[in-house]
Amino acid sequence: MQVEELPITIKTDQTKNVIQIKNLHKTFTDREHEVLRGVNLTIKEGENVVVLGKSGTGKSVLIKCIVGLVAADEGEINVFGKDIHDLPEKELNKMRIKMGFLFQSAALYDSMTVRENLAFPLQRSQKNLSAKEREAMIVEQLHNVGLEAAIDKMPSELSGGMRKRIGLARTLILKPEIMLYDEPTTGLDTITSKEISELILSVQKKNKTTSIIITHDMECAKLTADRVVILKDGVIVAEGTYSSLENSQDEWVRSFFNK
Ligand SMILES: Nc1ncnc2c1ncn2[C@@H]1O[C@H](COP(=O)(O)OP(=O)(O)OP(=O)(O)O)[C@@H](O)[C@H]1O
Ligand SMILES: [Mg+2]
């Protein structure tokens, strides 16, 4: 007789910190002012954190520090419990594969078809895949963003919203555990923006992804945020749920929400 194991309910640790930033400072040598002046931010597993802030306050610099595109001057960046500054190059590269970055201008390779655009990251970081496996992964990701029909198209044949979705599919194909979105809905109409915001939500739900979303689009913030933080003069000045900040006592905080 086969003994079936009883299902054991394991309580997942809801408080696991995936990203922990402590006292982060950054000044660019060609500028006199400090862009980041002691940022502290902790993000839990599976959490969507939206970063708001006026233009030029260092939002993009903040997430570039997390992926190591910009070197911080001072402070700690812990990802999955490891300080990225202490990691040897090999470990850092392994860590980077777990992080997806959707750039502010999610550029596709113009001379490649959609299929080739999605194949590119796979060819670089999953060299052992067969052509058939690769094709299946490409089709699956395109299906997730609702654009299977665009597989043979060139980027120039796609609308801005479609390009954003392909850019997202290209990032998601490596199944990142962390997603960093830099203004994912900028330049899109309201309906397309909502589609992208819904995609961000479905990525969170389906893959249990931990995400930082930088946006000026308050509909996107409202839909995607478990928590909102506001960056001002290089530090986080407000933090809370969307509705708590929307109804903040502070007029300046409320102004972000057009209230
Ligand atoms: N590589 C760089 N070299 C020099 N200065 C930089 C560099 N990257 C960013 N900066 C400066 O750092 C400041 C913050 O830039 P950042 O791109 O993070 O702003 P942001 O908050 O993302 O703005 P936006 O909402 O317009 O995207 C700006 O003053 C910018 O000029
Ligand atoms: Mg920016």
Side-chain angles (χ1 to χ4, degrees):
M1 193 183 89
Q2 208 169 335
V3 182
E4 261 187 69
E5 276 188 24
L6 286 172
I8 303 167
T9 333
I10 300 168
K11 238 185 164 181
T12 47
D13 182 9
Q14 296 294 331
T15 59
K16 193 166 149 194
N17 295 331
V18 171
I19 301 174
Q20 199 163 26
I21 297 168
K22 292 181 194 160
N23 194 31
L24 190 67
H25 287 257
K26 178 68 192 174
T27 309
F28 291 98
T29 43
D30 57 339
R31 319 245 154 175
E32 66 276 14
H33 85 283
E34 207 178 7
V35 177
L36 302 178
R37 302 194 304 164
V39 172
N40 293 293
L41 179 62
T42 299
I43 303 179
K44 293 187 182 123
E45 188 172 32
E47 194 181 22
N48 270 356
V49 171
V50 164
V51 180
L52 302 177
K54 297 242 155 68
S55 193
T57 45
K59 303 180 299 296
S60 294
V61 169
L62 174 66
I63 60 172
K64 283 178 184 164
C65 286
I66 300 172
V67 283
L69 283 172
V70 165
D73 297 333
E74 200 189 318
E76 250 180 59
I77 301 174
N78 285 293
V79 181
F80 301 115
K82 289 180 185 165
D83 188 341
I84 62 163
H85 299 114
D86 298 338
L87 285 182
E89 194 62 25
K90 208 173 154 194
E91 289 265 319
L92 195 60
N93 284 336
K94 258 201 234 161
M95 175 100 72
R96 283 197 185 121
I97 291 174
K98 296 185 189 173
M99 295 193 239
F101 193 165
L102 190 69
F103 287 94
Q104 204 159 348
S105 54
L108 300 173
Y109 305 107
D110 282 335
S111 58
M112 294 184 189
T113 63
V114 165
R115 177 189 281 106
E116 288 161 348
N117 264 281
L118 266 71
F120 195 74
L122 288 178
Q123 281 156 347
R124 280 182 39 181
S125 63
Q126 298 191 21
K127 296 191 172 78
N128 301 329
L129 289 177
S130 68
K132 208 172 159 191
E133 286 167 327
R134 204 159 51 222
E135 179 74 6
M137 286 171 82
I138 293 169
V139 171
E140 184 200 342
Q141 279 313 318
L142 288 176
H143 174 76
N144 281 346
V145 299
L147 284 174
E148 289 147 290
I151 193 160
D152 291 313
K153 293 219 179 331
M154 299 302 287
S156 58
E157 296 175 88
L158 307 173
S159 70
M162 287 163 100
R163 278 203 289 270
K164 272 267 176 215
R165 282 194 274 166
I166 299 293
L168 187 54
R170 188 181 57 186
T171 308
L172 293 176
I173 203 159
L174 297 178
K175 306 228 165 19
E177 292 173 49
I178 296 174
M179 269 302 293
L180 306 169
Y181 299 93
D182 199 348
E183 302 196 18
T185 64
T186 301
L188 304 176
D189 63 81
T190 321
I191 294 169
T192 315
S193 294
K194 188 154 185 254
E195 281 172 13
I196 298 280
S197 304
E198 280 163 354
L199 264 177
I200 294 173
L201 262 188
S202 80
V203 167
Q204 179 197 26
K205 296 233 161 68
K206 206 167 156 190
N207 307 349
K208 311 236 175 343
T209 319
T210 306
S211 304
I212 299 182
I213 304 143
I214 295 174
T215 191
H216 292 283
D217 170 1
M218 297 314 287
E219 287 304 316
C220 173
K222 188 173 187 175
L223 202 65
T224 60
D226 295 310
R227 187 154 53 100
V228 176
V229 301
I230 307 182
L231 200 61
K232 184 191 183 193
D233 300 331
V235 288
I236 287 171
V237 292
E239 181 168 357
T241 59
Y242 183 96
S243 63
S244 71
L245 293 189
E246 185 183 34
N247 299 306
S248 164
Q249 301 287 319
D250 188 318
E251 199 182 326
W252 182 85
V253 170
R254 276 201 319 275
S255 71
F256 275 91
F257 302 81
N258 305 316
K259 289 216 163 179

